[in-house]
Amino acid sequence: MFRIRLHGRGGQGIKTAGRILGSALFAEGFEVQDAPRYGAERRGAPIFAYVRADHQTICERGVIHDPNLVVVADETLLDLPVSNVLEGLDGAAVLLINSARSVQDWCRQLRLPGPVTVLNGAAIAREVGRIPAGALCVGSAARLLGVVSRDALLQAVAEELAGHDAATIEASQQAVLRAYDQFSSETGLVQRLQIGAKKISAGSPKWVELGGESLPQAAAVVTVAATSRLVQTGLWRTRRPRIDRALCSRCGLCRTLCPEGGIDLDSEGYPVIDYRYCKGCLLCAAQCPRRAIAIVEERAAPKKPQGGET
């Protein structure tokens, strides 16, 4: 059985990538499961999807803890322990990272027992246009499995993006095929590593005993104040807003519209962004009437230990 886990951030097309890969495997005659896993998070939050494929009926359910292939569409997740990207990776599993860094760099940093492969998706996107990172990784992942043909991959992209315009579908197909062709020398790497791989056992269920409620109506009880302040969701961000005080009219609209309450006003009435909780939704930049809020790539922004800055 192929067990594939795809990691990325909200807005990078991870759900769609899983569906494309699942549809391509189904077209090749496999029984398939594909499902995303995420909650109500906004753009930038770590999410993942998983795909199972086998020629027999698949009885496994739930999250994949022992993958054959892990796809990382956003390399910054490797610095975020909560995303759990490396769970279950052993000598019989392949890691695919979307990155401009070399394989040697990643091998030195991660020191994994299995092979590490790298797709420079940004280079492909510069040639064919802006394509979600998840879709870029699908072509390479399909080639690593060694059981998906070009025709099946193109058909899956067309099916899953059927609601988009023809230009978007064509650009996506070109990007997927370029990634597919770049990995020609590693065709079937995952399949080859499956020989002699450890068997996966479902194990015994871990039961949790829940006591009965003595009240006629149960309700959540919060006994500690302000616990949400402990969850610093700024880790989700890939781009940040930056306020230009010279252009700002101090209207306060950004503070009103911020869905996280991450913008406050200083003593002079200028907005101050608390980057510990700013998720990078960039609603403030989109709605600023004076265009006083610029958008900056997170990696290019100076790092400060505490939140407030303009």
Side-chain angles (χ1 to χ4, degrees), residues 6 13 24 64 91 101 115 117 123 126 133 135 139 150 153 244 248 261 290 296:
L6 303 97
I64 294 174
R101 292 173 55 186
T117 58
R126 284 194 294 269
R150 294 168 64 91
L153 196 56
D244 185 342
C248 178
R290 297 288 298 272
V296 181

Side-chain angles (χ1 to χ4, degrees), residues 3 52 59-61 63 65-66 199-206:
R3 298 175 178 89
R52 289 184 176 92
C59 297
E60 291 182 9
R61 294 293 185 273
V63 177
H65 298 288
D66 298 277
K199 294 183 178 180
I200 308 300
S201 174
S204 301
K206 296 180 180 179

Side-chain angles (χ1 to χ4, degrees), residues 2 4 21 25 68-69 140-148 186-192:
F2 290 115
I4 305 128
L21 189 57
L25 287 162
N68 307 120
L69 172 63
S140 299
R143 198 66 181 246
L144 287 168
L145 296 176
V147 294
V148 178
E186 295 172 305
T187 301
L189 178 59
V190 175
Q191 189 174 13
R192 295 195 299 271

Side-chain angles (χ1 to χ4, degrees), residues 131-271:
I131 302 294
L136 284 169
C137 293
V138 167
S140 299
R143 198 66 181 246
L144 287 168
L145 296 176
V147 294
V148 178
S149 67
R150 294 168 64 91
D151 290 342
L153 196 56
L154 289 175
Q155 177 185 338
V157 173
E159 289 177 355
E160 297 303 330
L161 301 183
H164 295 265
D165 58 85
T168 299
I169 295 174
E170 183 179 357
S172 299
Q173 288 177 323
Q174 289 180 15
V176 167
L177 283 184
R178 292 200 182 196
Y180 185 87
D181 292 338
Q182 282 188 16
F183 276 62
S184 59
S185 61
E186 295 172 305
T187 301
L189 178 59
V190 175
Q191 189 174 13
R192 295 195 299 271
L193 286 178
Q194 281 193 290
I195 300 175
K198 64 181 180 181
K199 294 183 178 180
I200 308 300
S201 174
S204 301
K206 296 180 180 179
W207 298 106
V208 177
E209 295 292 339
L210 298 176
E213 293 284 351
S214 58
L215 300 175
Q217 182 176 1
V221 178
V222 179
T223 58
V224 181
T227 55
S228 63
R229 303 299 294 177
L230 301 177
V231 183
Q232 297 191 8
T233 49
L235 293 172
W236 297 0
R237 188 176 58 242
T238 56
R239 294 188 295 171
R240 66 166 60 188
R242 176 177 290 171
I243 298 170
D244 185 342
R245 291 169 68 99
L247 295 176
C248 178
S249 65
R250 293 181 281 185
C251 68
L253 183 61
C254 56
R255 181 194 186 195
T256 302
L257 293 177
C258 178
E260 304 307 321
I263 301 179
D264 206 345
L265 302 180
D266 65 13
S267 58
E268 299 179 49
Y270 286 101

Side-chain angles (χ1 to χ4, degrees), residues 13-70:
I14 300 302
K15 174 183 175 181
T16 302
R19 291 182 62 88
I20 290 173
L21 189 57
S23 296
L25 287 162
F26 185 78
E28 296 290 0
F30 284 85
E31 296 286 332
V32 174
Q33 286 180 6
D34 70 80
R37 177 65 69 93
Y38 56 89
E41 296 88 353
R42 294 183 178 88
R43 180 180 297 273
I47 70 168
F48 68 91
Y50 56 86
V51 179
R52 289 184 176 92
D54 202 346
H55 286 299
Q56 302 176 2
T57 300
I58 300 174
C59 297
E60 291 182 9
R61 294 293 185 273
V63 177
I64 294 174
H65 298 288
D66 298 277
N68 307 120
L69 172 63
V70 170

